[in-house]
Amino acid sequence: MGIEKFVFYFFALVMVASATMVITVRNPVQAALFLVLTFFSSAIIWMILEAEFLAIALVLVYVGAVMVLFLFVVMMLDINIARLREGFIRYLPFGAVIAVVMAGMLISMVGSKNFGLAKFAEPVRHVANYNNTRELGLVLYTKYVYPFEIAAVILLVAIVAAIALTLRRRPTTKYQKPEEQIAVKRDDRVRLVSMNAEQKK
Amino acid sequence: MFEWVTAIFTSLPLAVQTMTLIILKIVAISLPLMLCVAYLTYAERKIIGYMQVRLGPNRVGPKGWLQPIADAVKLMFKEIIVPTGSNKYLFLISPVLSIAPALAAWAVIPFSDGMALANINAGLLYLLAVTSVGVYGVIIAGWASNSKYALLGAMRSAAQIVAYEIAMGFALVGVLMAAGSLNLGDIVRAQSGSVIHWFWLPLLPLFIIYFISGVAETNRAPFDVAEGESEIVAGFHVEYSGMAFAVFFLAEYANMILIAALTSIMFLGGWLSPLQGILPEYIFTIPVLGAMLGGGMHWLLIKISFILFHFLWLRATFPRYRYDQIMRLGWKVFIPITIVWLLVIGLMVLGRVGPWWNAA
């Protein structure tokens, strides 16, 4: 039990600290990297909850793909930090009120009053060869098959829409067509001309 | 002689015993791996040398065998220069970020039946997740160096790795559909029978795509635009010197060996013997000969070496791809082929096509 608690508190601390750094650090690239660290520590906390499929999917999708593209964009931008910082003091009272209200609501909702052991029984430990991925798949394709398929269709529509919105063909732009380049024959490029040799007089 | 060792070992608390065992196993995997990396560089120079009718390294030690040691010593004693205006912490942490996933992925590789450091259920997912983290080393190195060439190299590499990771992931989905499991040991066991039973035949397009995407993922020639020396000097690691550079080098070669190991586990039957199903069963029960001809770690190592040879062969043979063609190959050729082949596998598994799925 000891090592589990240690792992939990260590990564919970790392997560909170790096989440704080995401919003306080000055450099946008560093902020994105701290966000990666936050995702990573939350994945490990999920792993302690025996949700290994979700934990690995979080690393795979968010750390491995989404944040890479995010970093890609952030590195290309030349963000003027001084301008972003303008008006920080002016908006501070308003922001502070919202932060306090949000924190108060969260604490009142997610406290032990609503989610304590009195409301929910302590989850049972599963045996060592418990297969989280298989269980998830069984539930997802039987009990929740319609919500799951609807979510999949919505995602598909979103992908098609994103491509349709960004795809624009300009008739003036010249594209290379590799299949035509590969299929090219000698006769398309070179013309052998037979002509008489020049006569010296 | 071993009595006092076991006596000391059993007197330790249980947690310490487990930790010691795990650490010993990690050393037993990573030490030979590092040695393999060193001699893979030597093999690469020798093989490409012979392919190009040269001799390759032949001066340090007998036949040049000590060349990798000499290279390592040289790199260790060189100064690590941190460029001005670079982000020092990120600059120094990025080689670590690129080698750590390359080593961590070896935790789930089954070397023989039941011989893996961590025999976990979601092994294939773990591998996908861990190998996708490796790109951070390249991106952070490129950004932290505060150099145009390094940033361009990192950008190219990030786009390329993200593009080929999708094709690679789909190839793995095909493997897990065929094997019906995410556990690497179960995947190998699902291929037992004979050479025909291995997954290279029913998953032939995925096998080829996985191998080529693996070459692209490790930034090897002909996909090495991330360090294309004729265009952007050396790409993301221009500013690195000494041991920091050597760690990037180690990570690249460790990743190559990893991709070769994964290809042989998922498509070439892992530790299974190719003679299985050809020779009669009683031969495998003969004491020494049976162990040699039957399945075991040596077959996995032979398969890994076979695929590594192809990595080197590709490098010696092909010119570098143009960048837009790399992107076209990844997005417009590989991903559609894998998606179509997933449907084919689904139909084959449903139809119980033999000899792979008729037993299920």
Side-chain angles (χ1 to χ4, degrees):
Chain A
M1 199 59 203
I3 188 135
E4 204 167 291
K5 264 189 182 153
F6 170 75
V7 170
F8 171 76
Y9 280 111
F10 181 76
F11 282 102
L13 257 178
V14 170
M15 193 168 123
V16 172
S18 55
T20 319
M21 290 301 271
V22 173
I23 50 172
T24 52
V25 82
R26 288 181 154 267
N27 193 317
V29 173
Q30 284 178 0
L33 290 174
F34 274 115
L35 191 56
V36 171
L37 188 59
T38 315
F39 281 137
F40 211 87
S41 4
S42 61
I44 288 165
I45 288 174
W46 286 5
M47 196 82 92
I48 300 176
L49 287 170
E50 297 183 353
E52 74 256 17
F53 180 80
L54 287 177
I56 294 175
L58 182 74
V59 173
L60 180 60
V61 176
Y62 281 91
V63 177
V66 174
M67 287 314 292
V68 171
L69 296 178
F70 215 85
L71 269 177
F72 198 93
V73 175
V74 168
M75 280 179 187
M76 296 284 227
L77 297 176
D78 190 21
I79 296 172
N80 189 349
I81 299 163
R83 258 192 56 212
L84 288 177
R85 295 265 152 180
E86 261 175 33
F88 181 75
I89 301 293
R90 195 149 57 88
Y91 298 128
L92 187 64
F94 188 62
V97 168
I98 289 181
V100 167
V101 169
M102 288 284 281
M105 281 165 81
L106 275 176
I107 290 166
S108 68
M109 279 307 292
V110 196
S112 57
K113 200 161 73 259
N114 290 335
F115 287 91
L117 281 177
K119 299 271 176 188
F120 290 92
E122 192 179 0
V124 272
R125 287 249 148 246
H126 293 286
V127 285
N129 62 356
Y130 166 76
N131 195 337
N132 177 256
T133 316
R134 180 179 291 271
E135 297 296 319
L136 210 63
L138 281 177
V139 179
L140 220 49
Y141 283 99
T142 53
K143 198 173 170 188
Y144 301 106
V145 63
Y146 290 120
F148 181 68
E149 293 295 334
I150 290 168
V153 170
I154 292 173
L155 277 176
L156 184 67
V157 171
I159 293 171
V160 173
I163 293 172
L165 284 175
T166 51
L167 187 75
R168 46 178 188 150
R169 286 218 176 265
R170 283 186 296 187
T172 49
T173 315
K174 284 183 177 171
Y175 293 98
Q176 282 180 328
K177 297 196 181 78
E179 59 274 14
E180 284 177 16
Q181 290 179 333
I182 292 165
V184 81
K185 295 282 186 303
R186 189 198 63 180
D187 297 341
D188 303 339
R189 295 281 165 86
V190 186
R191 189 167 54 95
L192 286 183
V193 183
S194 66
M195 53 191 290
N196 295 328
E198 200 175 330
Q199 302 277 324
K200 279 251 167 90
K201 281 174 191 165
Chain B
M1 187 214 150
F2 290 108
E3 280 130 28
W4 60 273
V5 178
T6 45
I8 292 174
F9 187 72
T10 45
S11 68
L12 292 169
L14 199 67
V16 180
Q17 277 187 26
T18 348
M19 286 288 271
T20 330
L21 270 182
I22 291 175
I23 289 170
L24 281 179
K25 281 182 190 167
I26 291 172
V27 171
I29 293 174
S30 52
L31 216 66
L33 183 66
M34 286 295 122
L35 215 66
C36 281
V37 167
Y39 277 89
L40 181 57
T41 62
Y42 174 73
E44 174 170 33
R45 293 162 75 177
K46 270 292 191 195
I47 289 171
I48 294 181
Y50 286 132
M51 281 180 181
Q52 296 167 347
V53 206
R54 295 182 283 113
L55 282 178
N58 64 348
R59 281 288 176 268
V60 190
K63 295 184 190 288
W65 286 340
L66 295 178
Q67 184 67 45
I69 312 290
D71 287 342
V73 171
K74 182 198 81 172
L75 284 168
M76 259 183 254
F77 284 101
K78 274 184 149 181
E79 187 189 354
I80 296 175
I81 298 163
V82 180
T84 44
S86 68
N87 190 317
K88 196 176 173 202
Y89 297 105
L90 289 180
F91 184 80
L92 292 179
I93 211 173
S94 60
V96 182
L97 281 180
S98 81
I99 198 165
L103 292 179
W106 283 89
V108 292
I109 302 288
F111 292 96
S112 179
D113 205 350
M115 222 172 107
L117 176 60
N119 183 16
I120 59 174
N121 278 325
L124 206 57
L125 265 178
Y126 169 84
L127 275 173
L128 261 179
V130 166
T131 47
S132 70
V133 174
V135 62
Y136 280 98
V138 176
I139 297 183
I140 295 174
W143 184 76
S145 297
N146 191 27
S147 154
K148 288 186 188 70
Y149 293 125
L151 188 66
L152 284 173
M155 288 294 158
R156 286 177 170 200
S157 158
Q160 178 182 329
I161 290 178
V162 169
Y164 280 84
E165 208 166 76
I166 299 171
M168 222 168 164
F170 273 127
L172 295 188
V173 169
V175 171
L176 79 93
M177 276 170 75
S181 172
L182 282 168
N183 183 302
L184 290 171
D186 288 345
I187 289 173
V188 175
R189 260 169 247 129
Q191 303 177 48
S192 56
S194 67
V195 180
I196 307 294
H197 284 79
W198 296 353
F199 284 155
W200 65 271
L201 193 56
L203 308 183
L204 191 62
L206 299 186
F207 172 45
I208 294 165
I209 285 172
Y210 185 81
F211 177 68
I212 297 174
S213 307
V215 178
E217 283 272 300
T218 46
N219 287 324
R220 293 280 307 171
F223 298 97
D224 59 343
V225 287
E227 45 192 283
E229 65 274 358
S230 55
E231 301 151 19
I232 49 172
V233 195
F236 66 93
H237 56 54
V238 202
E239 306 290 344
Y240 283 85
S241 59
M243 209 53 209
F245 167 74
V247 171
F248 274 120
F249 208 69
L250 283 178
E252 183 184 325
Y253 282 81
N255 267 325
M256 267 169 74
I257 301 178
L258 179 73
I259 295 288
L262 288 178
T263 314
S264 30
I265 283 170
M266 288 183 297
F267 299 100
L268 298 177
W271 68 77
L272 298 172
S273 160
L275 301 168
Q276 193 187 17
I278 297 171
L279 296 176
E281 279 297 314
Y282 66 85
I283 287 190
F284 298 121
T285 54
I286 300 171
V288 179
L289 195 67
M292 267 166 66
L293 296 178
M297 201 166 90
H298 53 287
W299 285 114
L300 181 64
L301 297 181
I302 290 171
K303 286 166 189 168
I304 291 176
S305 322
F306 175 72
I307 291 171
L308 281 176
F309 178 76
H310 283 79
F311 266 95
L312 308 181
W313 192 3
L314 278 180
R315 179 172 169 185
T317 311
F318 289 114
R320 185 174 294 138
Y321 251 101
R322 211 173 59 201
Y323 194 71
D324 61 321
Q325 289 182 345
I326 290 183
M327 284 295 139
R328 176 183 164 272
L329 185 72
W331 289 103
K332 292 187 178 171
V333 180
F334 280 177
I335 294 176
I337 292 177
T338 47
I339 290 174
V340 167
W341 206 256
L342 286 186
L343 284 177
V344 175
I345 297 166
L347 290 176
M348 282 202 288
V349 174
L350 263 185
R352 303 260 165 105
V353 176
W356 307 287
W357 296 290
N358 47 8

